[in-house]
């Protein structure tokens, strides 16, 4: 039999967080969610048990407080036993964590960004990677190739290749052998670039070059 639940409106500050909640929300997520709530409203009820302990909606509860809401929609699940509440809490956290269809996500984001609609929950790097032109901006424009793959195949010519290529810029596609990547890999590539920046303390092209130089030296040793 299909269950129907009554929605009540309560002060989010009166709802009790579950102290062992397995899902973690960082400050940025909460702030982004708060901005989204202020922009587009709160329309997904929080669920609590008979003791007003949150079952689902910890992040939304925190965000609603940050957003300054005095009341939020709540469903009180007094029909569930202690074990059922625990199971539902884990199920909600687990089943809501799904992958995106990367191509559809990219198309949706691009349409919204081009329409000047702000989308919360994606940082600038993710948006640049997902919405940007992967084949033009990243693969063929201003990047200088990482020599490590080429020099691995031609170790005996390593010094000569390094000196010759260092004289001018080359297209990444000419050395790596590809000019695009699957859209589903875009975020991973963005994470790699972010790792390069964090490791080298530089940004963009400078980080790419410094990281390539670091890897090359680790593989072949310092060159005199």
């Amino acid at each position: 039999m299909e269950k129907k639940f009554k929605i009540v409106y309560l002060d989010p500050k009166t709802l009790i967080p579950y102290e062992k909640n397995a899902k973690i929300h960082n400050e940025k997520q909460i702030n982004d969610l708060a901005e989204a709530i202020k922009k587009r409203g709160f329309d997904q009820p929080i669920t609590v048990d008979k003791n007003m302990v949150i079952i689902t909606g910890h992040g939304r509860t925190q965000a609603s407080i940050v957003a300054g809401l005095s009341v939020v929609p709540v469903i009180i699940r007094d029909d569930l036993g202690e074990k059922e509440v625990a199971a539902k809490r884990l199920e909600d956290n687990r089943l809501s964590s799904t992958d995106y269809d990367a191509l559809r996500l990219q198309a949706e984001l691009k349409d919204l960004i081009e329409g000047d609609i702000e989308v919360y929950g994606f940082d600038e790097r993710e948006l640049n990677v997902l919405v940007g032109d992967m084949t033009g901006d990243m693969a063929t424009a201003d990047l200088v190739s990482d020599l490590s793959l080429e020099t691995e195949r031609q170790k005996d010519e390593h010094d000569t290749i390094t000196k010759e290529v260092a004289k001018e810029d080359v297209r990444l596609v000419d050395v790596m052998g590809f000019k695009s990547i699957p859209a589903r890999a875009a975020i991973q590539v963005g994470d790699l670039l972010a790792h390069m920046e964090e490791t080298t303390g530089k940004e963009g092209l400078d980080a790419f070059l410094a990281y390539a130089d670091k890897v090359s030296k680790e593989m072949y040793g310092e060159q005199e």
Side-chain angles (χ1 to χ4, degrees), residues 157-171:
E157 299 178 12
H158 178 264
D159 290 342
T160 301
I161 292 172
T162 301
K163 292 176 182 178
E164 288 299 317
V165 177
K167 294 178 182 178
E168 59 182 300
D169 289 356
V170 296
R171 298 185 310 164

Side-chain angles (χ1 to χ4, degrees), residues 132-148:
D133 181 355
M134 296 292 292
T135 62
D137 296 341
M138 285 186 57
T140 62
D142 297 320
L143 294 180
V144 177
S145 68
D146 179 350
L147 297 177
S148 61

Side-chain angles (χ1 to χ4, degrees), residues 65-198:
I65 294 172
V66 173
L69 300 188
S70 58
V71 294
V72 292
V74 178
I75 295 175
I76 302 174
R77 294 300 305 270
D78 53 9
D79 59 312
L80 297 178
E82 183 178 348
K83 296 297 184 182
E84 290 179 302
V85 166
K88 179 167 177 56
R89 185 178 286 117
L90 292 177
E91 289 166 351
D92 180 77
N93 288 341
R94 178 62 176 173
L95 297 175
S96 63
S97 301
T98 59
D99 292 331
Y100 288 101
D101 181 308
L103 291 176
R104 292 180 179 179
L105 173 62
Q106 186 179 45
E108 289 263 17
L109 280 173
K110 188 172 183 179
D111 183 60
L112 290 171
I113 297 301
E114 290 178 350
D116 201 27
I117 301 297
E118 187 168 7
V119 183
Y120 300 100
F122 296 90
D123 61 32
E124 184 177 356
R125 177 186 58 78
E126 289 175 317
L127 290 175
N128 286 339
V129 170
L130 286 168
V131 180
D133 181 355
M134 296 292 292
T135 62
D137 296 341
M138 285 186 57
T140 62
D142 297 320
L143 294 180
V144 177
S145 68
D146 179 350
L147 297 177
S148 61
L149 292 179
E150 179 64 21
T151 54
E152 184 176 350
R153 295 192 296 269
Q154 303 179 26
K155 292 182 181 180
D156 58 326
E157 299 178 12
H158 178 264
D159 290 342
T160 301
I161 292 172
T162 301
K163 292 176 182 178
E164 288 299 317
V165 177
K167 294 178 182 178
E168 59 182 300
D169 289 356
V170 296
R171 298 185 310 164
L172 184 62
V173 63
D174 291 337
V175 176
M176 303 299 288
F178 57 84
K179 65 178 181 179
S180 63
I181 63 172
R184 64 178 180 274
I187 292 180
Q188 290 92 322
V189 172
D191 288 340
L192 174 60
L193 294 176
H195 172 69
M196 291 178 179
E197 293 183 339
E198 181 178 357

